[in-house]
Amino acid sequence: MTLVQQKQNIKGFTLLELLVILAIIGAIAGVGFPNFTKWSIDRELRAASERVASILTTATTQVERGIYPYTRITISNGSKGPALNAWGVEQNDFSYYLNQGNKLECKQKDIINGSHQGTIFSSVELSEDVSIYHIMGGAICFSKGGKYFKQDGTADTQGNVGFDNNKVASNNVIVTCHKNASSCDPINKVFDDKYPVYLVKYSRFGLIEKYKWSYADKIWKSR
């Protein structure tokens, strides 16, 4: 075969074939993109909930190990999204304030009798796409054995969330939702089904449980 014949046998795509290929790629991308977006949002909210659970676990672990006899978590607005800070009071300060007859306040700004902030030992800031239901500005305090466990502000007044077909109710929860959700109401179980919802449940004794709302079953499912 001559060089001229070889060149004549070389074929490429026609314009029509290229347009068909591009149309197929566009159709596949159109089907896959919504699923990727949904997965990405779920991943972001799950990660936010994990960070909430992590700082709660850190606060209660510090108490149980005796590093800080009294810890407090505050929930407020950060530079981009919700921020959670864990504060601790050292044993010497804790004993001194109690011996002086001071009251444990567990406030957003003050941890003991309006005069002592404590020391920040752990902080997390969530994504700007994440919102925390209702308890912005609240505070949660832990102590060994749960003796001085207390919630303050919106952390105490947010209302009870029902578990186990409403057989168990608790307001010891932090719920993470997407900021664009049209509704995020864990008390009445009203949510925007376009977005996943995650919940962390804590106890005065340091038990941390993680849940996700099941739209199919209309219940909180442990994860």
Side-chain angles (χ1 to χ4, degrees):
M1 183 179 293
T2 65
L3 183 60
V4 173
Q5 289 175 322
Q6 287 179 338
K7 289 183 178 180
Q8 289 176 343
N9 288 333
I10 296 174
K11 294 182 179 180
F13 292 106
T14 66
L15 179 59
L16 179 60
E17 288 171 331
L18 287 172
L19 290 174
V20 170
I21 292 171
L22 290 174
I24 293 172
I25 293 174
I28 294 173
V31 172
F33 184 74
N35 290 332
F36 174 78
T37 301
K38 185 176 181 180
W39 172 84
S40 180
I41 291 173
D42 184 86
R43 184 170 179 268
E44 183 176 33
L45 289 171
R46 184 186 182 97
S49 185
E50 289 289 347
R51 298 190 77 187
V52 170
S54 177
I55 197 169
L56 284 166
T57 300
T58 299
T60 56
T61 300
Q62 295 283 326
V63 164
E64 293 305 317
R65 290 179 176 176
I67 299 172
Y68 293 108
Y70 195 59
T71 61
R72 171 189 57 159
I73 290 179
T74 58
I75 304 101
S76 58
N77 289 310
S79 59
K80 292 183 178 179
L84 289 82
N85 292 309
W87 305 71
V89 176
E90 295 181 358
Q91 184 64 59
N92 289 341
D93 290 334
F94 184 69
S95 299
Y96 173 78
Y97 281 103
L98 287 182
N99 291 335
Q100 292 296 310
N102 291 295
K103 184 179 179 181
L104 299 175
E105 293 285 0
C106 188
K107 298 291 185 181
Q108 170 77 317
K109 293 184 178 180
D110 302 298
I111 197 167
I112 297 179
N113 202 32
S115 61
H116 192 66
Q117 279 277 10
T119 302
I120 293 181
F121 60 85
S122 183
S123 298
V124 299
E125 186 167 337
L126 308 182
S127 163
E128 61 184 353
D129 291 329
V130 176
S131 66
I132 290 182
Y133 172 78
H134 187 62
I135 62 173
M136 299 296 289
I140 308 161
C141 291
F142 299 95
S143 66
K144 194 165 187 177
K147 181 177 181 180
Y148 298 109
F149 171 79
K150 188 178 180 181
Q151 298 156 299
D152 180 71
T154 49
D156 184 42
T157 61
Q158 68 172 332
N160 289 326
V161 174
F163 297 88
D164 300 330
N165 293 320
N166 292 323
K167 294 177 182 178
V168 178
S170 174
N171 75 337
N172 299 353
V173 299
I174 298 179
V175 179
T176 50
C177 314
H178 195 276
K179 71 172 184 180
N180 292 334
S182 59
S183 179
C184 181
D185 181 358
I187 310 304
N188 297 301
K189 295 181 171 60
V190 179
F191 304 107
D192 184 341
D193 61 8
K194 294 193 294 294
Y195 300 98
V197 183
Y198 286 89
L199 177 150
V200 177
K201 183 181 177 186
Y202 56 90
S203 78
R204 67 188 304 130
F205 304 109
L207 177 64
I208 308 298
E209 300 174 272
K210 296 179 284 188
Y211 295 86
K212 182 180 181 181
W213 177 252
S214 170
Y215 286 103
D217 300 319
K218 306 297 181 184
I219 59 172
W220 292 104
K221 285 195 171 182
S222 180
R223 60 181 180 88

